[in-house]
Amino acid sequence: MRVIESAIVETAQEREKKQGVLSTFGDPGKICFLDIETTGFSRTYDTIYLIGLVYYTNDTVMARQYLASRRQDEALLLKEALEFLSGFDTLITYNGDMFDLPFIRERARLLRQWTPEAAGKADLVRSVDLMRRYRRHQKFFGWPNMKLKTVESCLGIGREDPFDGGQLIDVFDEYEKTQDPRLEKTLLLHNYEDIVNLRDLLKVDELLGILEKGHPLMARLRGSTVVFAWNSQMPVSLEARVPFEAKAGPGSPSFLLRMEAGLDEIQIVLPEAEDAGQLKYYLSDPGNYYYLPATSEIVHKSLSFDIPASERRPARAAQCYLKAPEDIYLEVPKEAFTDRSTDKSTDPSADRSVAIFKDSLKSKRHFVRKSDLFRFFEKADPQEIGSFSKTFLDRI
């Protein structure tokens, strides 16, 4: 068996940023990233031939790999790895709750390395499985599946290793026979990139933290795109479709969220109304209006003194609307604005209020005039802009 240890080279700024995200899980010095390589999926018949770890020591990030030269080394590999792991209180893995950790426990038990002391310490260790943690965000990030290499690729994390774990089983079989250094390098590289890239996956946590706790400094409308100047740089590039409704099905209305790694802005591309001529502004006080059946118009009761009673009737809510003025209309979440017009308003955009237009009274789709939105961002204060951005980001 061999133990290979090396320092991970990175700038102080990179290390501090990753360490800052890692500190949300606890003391970075007590956290270890873990990944294993096995000869198959059976905990009873297959063996662990490689355990890779990444951990912090002082101001250095270290990678440590336990490689079995042959299957008979597995007991010693487990013994030494478990002794080393006893110094940590948090293990971060990818699919470790379902695969790596149960596999280690069962193989250690069968090989009599799972002592009461080891079991007692393991019960105190916290497991953070990034696959389970990030699965609920799969649709938002646009990952076609939750395979590690898929997620890495979508986050812009590169690899030199072209193999997957299954393909490496044959490589290990040949290595066991020949001890060829080239095969050893192939085995170590795959596992090394697995464990080192786990730290880079924390970009997901970093981004979600920025969206949840950060705030826009200003906003402007560029075409149909709202551009927020954010108070942090984005850790990943992303283009994602986000539905307006939480339980929306395929093809439901959605907005496009864009960001680019290293830039401090978030873009929200709003969909335009396909038939603005059908949009209406529904007044909030239909009890103050009459409906005129002959012309399909409404009139305020204070102005109806010269209209015969036979030609008018109380307006219903669905009849009490103003037709949308000619403009481009952009869809927004219904919580984005509070419609502050009054029964005396004949122009819903006469002041800083942003009027909501719909194609029917009960429609769940809400539109605003592009000109209103442009004027809103010109005059809005930081609190109003922050409230507006929150209505979009809460849907992620």
Side-chain angles (χ1 to χ4, degrees), residues 46-272:
D46 293 311
T47 63
I48 300 172
Y49 67 84
L50 181 54
I51 295 180
L53 311 172
V54 164
Y55 61 97
Y56 285 81
T57 174
N58 299 321
D59 290 330
T60 306
V61 186
M62 301 296 296
R64 175 181 287 232
Q65 294 173 284
Y66 297 85
L67 175 63
S69 300
R70 52 183 185 162
R71 281 169 170 79
Q72 289 89 329
D73 291 342
E74 185 186 19
L76 178 60
L77 178 150
L78 286 167
K79 179 177 182 296
E80 294 200 11
L82 288 172
E83 286 179 357
F84 184 79
L85 286 169
S86 66
F88 300 94
D89 60 24
T90 301
L91 294 179
I92 298 181
T93 64
Y94 194 84
N95 198 32
D97 286 353
M98 293 294 293
F99 183 73
D100 303 68
L101 301 184
F103 212 109
I104 288 174
R105 283 194 291 268
E106 183 61 13
R107 293 306 299 167
R109 186 188 68 80
L110 292 173
L111 295 170
R112 302 176 184 240
Q113 299 301 319
W114 197 246
T115 63
E117 181 182 7
K121 289 181 178 179
D123 288 340
L124 300 176
V125 173
R126 177 191 178 199
S127 170
V128 178
D129 184 340
L130 297 183
M131 182 176 178
R132 293 182 64 182
R133 185 177 179 84
Y134 297 156
R135 187 184 292 278
R136 65 182 180 273
H137 302 296
Q138 179 180 354
K139 184 181 293 186
F140 166 62
F141 282 96
W143 300 328
N145 57 62
M146 290 301 295
K147 293 179 181 178
L148 178 58
K149 285 191 174 182
T150 299
V151 175
E152 289 173 348
S153 176
C154 291
L155 294 177
I157 302 171
R159 270 183 177 260
E160 293 180 31
D161 161 55
F163 300 102
D164 61 37
Q167 293 170 321
L168 289 179
I169 296 173
D170 290 338
V171 176
F172 176 72
D173 287 341
E174 186 64 24
Y175 170 71
E176 189 176 24
K177 298 172 187 174
T178 65
Q179 299 297 297
D180 187 331
R182 293 171 299 179
L183 298 178
E184 179 180 294
K185 183 179 179 181
T186 298
L187 296 171
L188 291 173
L189 176 63
H190 175 85
N191 177 258
Y192 180 85
E193 292 190 328
D194 276 353
I195 51 177
V196 170
N197 288 354
L198 282 181
R199 287 197 317 141
D200 288 329
L201 290 192
L202 294 180
K203 290 178 180 179
V204 174
D205 276 277
E206 183 182 355
L207 174 61
L208 295 175
I210 287 173
L211 298 183
E212 179 182 356
K213 300 175 183 178
H215 59 86
L217 303 175
M218 60 173 292
R220 63 187 184 278
L221 189 64
R222 184 196 302 159
S224 299
T225 302
V226 181
V227 181
F228 296 103
W230 215 254
N231 67 330
S232 300
Q233 291 184 344
M234 299 300 117
V236 299
S237 296
L238 179 66
E239 185 170 298
R241 279 279 171 196
V242 183
F244 283 98
E245 295 291 329
K247 297 182 179 180
S252 298
S254 60
F255 60 88
L256 183 64
L257 182 145
R258 286 179 180 153
M259 62 185 67
E260 186 174 337
L263 298 184
D264 56 354
E265 71 175 36
I266 295 175
Q267 297 183 8
I268 302 290
V269 184
L270 301 176
E272 295 185 10

